Amino acid sequence: MTNPAFKTSIATVSISGTLDAKLQAIAAVGYDGAEVFENDLLSTHLSAREIGAMMADLGLACTMFQPFRDLDGLPEPQRARAFDRLERKFDVMQELGTDLLLVCSSCSPLSDGNRERTIADLTEAAERAAARGLRLGYEALAWGRHVHDHREAWGIVRDADHPALGLVLDSFHSLSRQIPSSSIGDIRPEKLFIVQVADAPMLDMDHLGWSRHFRCMPGQGDFPLDDWAGAIRKIGYQGYWSLEIFNDRFRAGSASGVALDGYRSLRLLEGGIARPSVSAAALPPRVKTAGVEFIEFAASHEEAENLAAMLRPLGFRPTARHRSKDVTRWTQGVGTQGVDDPVNIVINCEPEGLAHSFDVVHGASVCALGLAVDDVPGALARADFLRVPRFNQPLAPDEWPIPSVRGVGGSLIYFVDAATRAAMWAHEFPTTLEDPVPGPRLAIDHVAQTMQYEEFLSWLLFYVALFDVAKTPQLDIADPMGLIQSQAVENADRSVRFTLNGSLATQSLTSRFIQNYFGAGVQHIAFATDDIMAVADAAHAQGLPRLSIPRNYFDDLEARWGLEPDLIDAMATRDILYDRDGEAEYLQFYSRAFARRVFFEVVERRGYAGYGAVNAPIRLAAQARHKPDFPD
Ligand code: MG
Ligand code: MG
């Protein structure tokens, strides 16, 4: 599964832990090399020589030692001291077994910024490096005092014209300053010593703070990395692509998890973040999704009864039983689109297997999602390529194989072949139970997943790397007990929409949800309808416990949007929330929570593309009042 196109590396500053643990995590994921960050070396109990030997044992190249700051343009005696310091770093590099040192453009107020001086100092440094078989890579920091643009840095390297002096390109420094990537075309590939990669959200803030705290993995932020990487490939660069990510969240996360995310993100960059790349024919394309085929709950029989009591009022019926397992297929929908394409919920009461262990660990909850995909072998190839673990459960001889991978919180994502799904259902669920009932027709609109704040970016990357989904802008939602970060991923025809929610506040409802769940998972399932009033009436008549919304909310709606009093009353009596975007309208209501973990939502989109984020604080406050749903 090796791919020679990109040589992969990561700076040790990117992940958490002690240096030896970081290196082990990096090697285990399969990187070709690692940059050793000086602070990591200073804080380890191992000598540089021992670290070098360890890297060799692990099969990791030491791609660079970094950083060396404030070398050029200094007056005496600071200049002489800087060169002495440089010689000592050369000693360390030789012990580590790397020949490349990163030299940043100077931030020192003592540096005079004279271009000829800079060239002369870097040339002398390169001469000393060359005498010991070493090389220097010069990097323009976005906040460098005099040099803060890679075009300027390249001009200096080119004019110094020393074989031991080359350029370091770092996507953050170039793209945070919006330097056109076309300028990379001027750089000679043999003078580009290493490429450092990071993404970041577009923020309007000082470059240093932005870089130190908001760098993230390619695909997680907003930088136009495809153009940038394309320009580097175009000049014929053959060296390492090295992640250099400073991010507080990653340093709080698990070393192996962040190392794996980084590896995936480099593979994603290699194949094109925003669009498939023609040059990467070996890379399996993103998984093309055709909808959520089913949602599987793990539950005991007693819990299944409680779940049934919420599903029936929404028009679901247990229509079929699995051929050999204690698993029931619930479907919703008879009508215009026919019974061939209903909403499917599967309730798994098996006494063993993954669903059972999921129920034991998490309580009754969603243990798997089935996504309809066009190309199952292609989906598995993409997952393998991104090192997404497959899940294998023993199959009975006559069981229909449905391959799966690990998703959020240890749950599964099944790849259901879109072309043969009807045959799959008929084969796996041959025993019919109740007939489906007529009534308002539902479809799956979105699935909301909740996770620890630390995991949020990791899962965002998981979805955008594996599937043909794009992310929506990030939102902050006010919880009565703290802020929640929310972002959605959607495929092009919006037949697959997931919303991701992460909470930093330990007392927020989202956090309580995670505690009640013992981990990340599906928090709510939203169904779409064309007639939310009819669905609300039918559900209410059949006893769906609804989340009640205070009258104040509706009075405010009236004032805000100038809606007809009849519509306001119709919504108020049904606890329906409202939002508007231009002419587009969104109506939504929620059930109470099932088993304190999962609730249902019904939405009617009248051209509306979002998720009613403006109403989330109202919903959260209403849930906070329902203490039994989300106990402290
Ligand atoms: Mg850098
Ligand atoms: Mg929702």
Side-chain angles (χ1 to χ4, degrees):
M1 198 169 39
T2 53
N3 188 309
F6 257 35
K7 289 202 287 179
T8 55
S9 165
I10 183 170
T12 56
V13 69
S14 311
I15 61 179
S16 62
T18 57
L19 182 55
D20 49 327
K22 291 179 193 218
L23 292 170
Q24 272 155 6
I26 291 165
V29 168
Y31 286 86
D32 301 309
E35 294 175 25
V36 173
F37 193 69
E38 183 170 34
N39 270 7
D40 284 326
L41 188 63
L42 298 181
S43 57
T44 181
H45 60 287
L46 299 170
S47 69
R49 198 174 296 282
E50 285 168 322
I51 291 293
M54 183 180 171
M55 292 184 76
D57 285 348
L58 290 168
L60 280 177
C62 185
T63 54
M64 184 158 68
F65 182 57
Q66 69 127 319
F68 191 89
R69 302 183 197 281
D70 298 334
L71 175 68
D72 58 276
L74 293 173
E76 294 297 355
Q78 286 86 356
R79 183 179 186 280
R81 279 212 289 272
F83 277 89
D84 286 348
R85 188 159 56 89
L86 187 66
E87 292 283 357
R88 282 207 294 278
K89 298 307 165 195
F90 290 164
D91 300 337
V92 174
M93 288 167 66
Q94 288 179 317
E95 286 169 7
L96 279 174
T98 182
D99 72 339
L100 185 59
L101 177 70
L102 180 112
V103 176
C104 314
S105 62
S106 182
C107 298
S108 169
L110 298 174
S111 170
D112 67 7
N114 176 304
R115 189 172 187 274
E116 299 313 311
R117 272 287 310 282
T118 299
I119 290 175
D121 285 347
L122 289 173
T123 303
E124 180 180 337
E127 193 58 39
R128 293 192 190 201
R132 300 175 65 168
L134 304 175
R135 302 178 300 152
L136 306 179
Y138 184 55
E139 176 188 56
L141 296 177
W143 54 91
R145 193 168 182 87
H146 305 288
V147 175
H148 43 246
D149 183 321
H150 72 238
R151 291 170 292 195
E152 223 178 327
W154 164 238
I156 288 167
V157 166
R158 181 196 58 216
D159 293 351
D161 195 25
H162 193 287
L165 180 67
L167 187 70
V168 175
L169 273 182
D170 178 322
S171 59
F172 182 87
H173 297 305
S174 299
L175 297 175
S176 66
R177 286 194 161 267
Q178 300 184 7
I179 299 168
S181 294
S182 55
S183 62
I184 292 168
D186 299 335
I187 299 165
R188 294 205 307 272
E190 74 279 7
K191 296 300 269 182
L192 183 53
F193 282 0
I194 198 164
V195 163
Q196 292 183 311
V197 192
D199 203 344
M202 277 302 175
L203 299 170
D204 186 13
M205 64 180 289
D206 74 285
H207 290 97
L208 181 58
W210 187 7
S211 174
R212 289 279 158 83
H213 303 293
F214 293 96
R215 284 186 183 225
C216 55
M217 304 292 182
Q220 292 176 334
D222 301 324
F223 282 169
L225 282 172
D226 282 337
D227 284 353
W228 180 82
I232 292 171
R233 287 172 168 200
K234 206 167 156 196
I235 64 170
Y237 173 73
Q238 300 286 337
Y240 287 97
W241 297 75
S242 190
L243 291 165
E244 190 194 33
I245 317 282
F246 309 97
N247 187 304
D248 308 325
R249 275 184 264 177
F250 296 162
R251 274 173 291 206
S254 91
S256 56
V258 174
L260 182 58
D261 278 355
Y263 185 86
R264 284 180 187 160
S265 73
L266 281 177
R267 289 297 176 215
L268 180 65
L269 182 69
E270 185 175 0
I273 289 172
R275 54 192 150 58
S277 160
V278 274
S279 62
L283 180 67
R286 286 169 185 218
V287 180
K288 199 164 176 321
T289 51
V292 178
E293 185 61 21
F294 65 84
I295 295 170
E296 180 172 343
F297 280 83
S300 67
H301 283 115
E302 191 187 338
E303 292 161 335
E305 287 298 311
N306 297 333
L307 182 56
M310 299 189 83
L311 291 176
R312 283 183 178 273
L314 289 167
F316 283 88
R317 291 294 179 271
T319 50
R321 166 169 284 281
H322 191 269
R323 59 189 303 118
S324 58
K325 292 180 176 168
D326 191 353
V327 179
T328 309
R329 177 192 185 189
W330 288 66
T331 56
Q332 202 280 0
V334 183
T336 53
Q337 291 171 58
V339 283
D340 291 336
D341 192 22
V343 177
N344 296 295
I345 287 182
V346 170
I347 304 182
N348 188 331
C349 299
E350 275 283 283
E352 52 194 48
L354 176 96
H356 178 67
S357 41
F358 205 87
D359 184 32
V360 169
V361 174
H362 301 278
S365 51
V366 174
C367 62
L369 297 172
L371 291 182
V373 304
D374 285 359
D375 173 9
V376 173
L380 288 169
R382 177 82 180 181
D384 287 346
F385 189 79
L386 294 167
R387 310 257 160 115
V388 173
R390 289 197 198 188
F391 176 76
N392 295 306
Q393 193 154 249
L395 274 185
D398 58 348
E399 218 172 322
W400 192 282
I402 316 171
S404 61
V405 296
R406 289 276 179 184
V408 170
S411 66
L412 300 184
I413 293 182
Y414 285 97
F415 297 140
V416 177
D417 179 17
T420 60
R421 52 188 155 172
M424 172 197 82
W425 286 113
H427 180 271
E428 285 294 279
F429 291 83
T431 316
T432 54
L433 301 172
E434 295 180 31
D435 287 334
V437 290
R441 164 103 197 166
L442 301 180
I444 293 174
D445 186 88
H446 62 271
V447 178
Q449 296 172 316
T450 298
M451 57 211 64
Q452 301 284 3
Y453 193 72
E454 289 74 21
E455 296 174 304
F456 185 89
L457 284 175
S458 173
W459 287 110
L460 196 62
L461 179 66
F462 172 83
Y463 286 117
V464 302
L466 188 54
F467 298 105
D468 61 342
V469 295
K471 52 193 196 289
T472 63
Q474 209 171 79
L475 298 172
D476 287 335
I477 292 173
D479 180 291
M481 314 293 277
L483 267 192
I484 295 170
Q485 196 172 51
S486 183
Q487 196 158 17
V489 292
E490 305 171 338
N491 68 357
D493 68 4
R494 290 178 167 151
S495 61
V496 172
R497 309 181 194 229
F498 296 139
T499 59
L500 312 182
N501 300 283
S503 175
L504 193 56
T506 52
Q507 280 310 307
S508 70
L509 274 183
T510 303
S511 290
R512 272 189 266 166
F513 167 86
I514 295 165
Q515 287 156 16
N516 288 335
Y517 226 122
F518 299 100
V522 169
Q523 181 213 42
H524 72 263
I525 297 161
F527 300 112
T529 175
D530 294 334
D531 188 352
I532 195 170
M533 301 291 175
V535 174
D537 288 345
H540 185 65
Q542 293 170 63
L544 180 75
R546 220 159 55 197
L547 187 69
S548 63
I549 304 300
R551 181 70 215 187
N552 289 347
Y553 170 79
F554 296 98
D555 293 343
D556 174 64
L557 266 192
E558 195 163 6
R560 192 159 14 131
W561 298 112
L563 299 176
E564 293 297 324
D566 285 355
L567 176 59
I568 294 285
D569 285 342
M571 292 192 294
T573 55
R574 295 172 178 87
D575 295 306
I576 292 175
L577 299 151
Y578 179 89
D579 189 28
R580 176 182 275 184
D581 183 7
E583 290 303 299
E585 296 178 297
Y586 191 59
L587 286 78
Q588 51 179 163
F589 75 83
Y590 292 98
S591 76
R592 300 273 300 273
F594 155 72
R596 299 176 172 178
R597 287 179 209 97
V598 190
F599 51 95
F600 296 98
E601 179 185 8
V602 175
V603 306
E604 182 177 339
R605 294 179 179 275
R606 300 176 178 171
Y608 180 97
Y611 298 89
V614 68
N615 292 323
I618 308 295
R619 187 256 296 169
L620 288 159
Q623 289 176 324
R625 280 192 299 277
H626 286 302
K627 281 286 184 184
D629 288 359
F630 288 93
D632 292 323

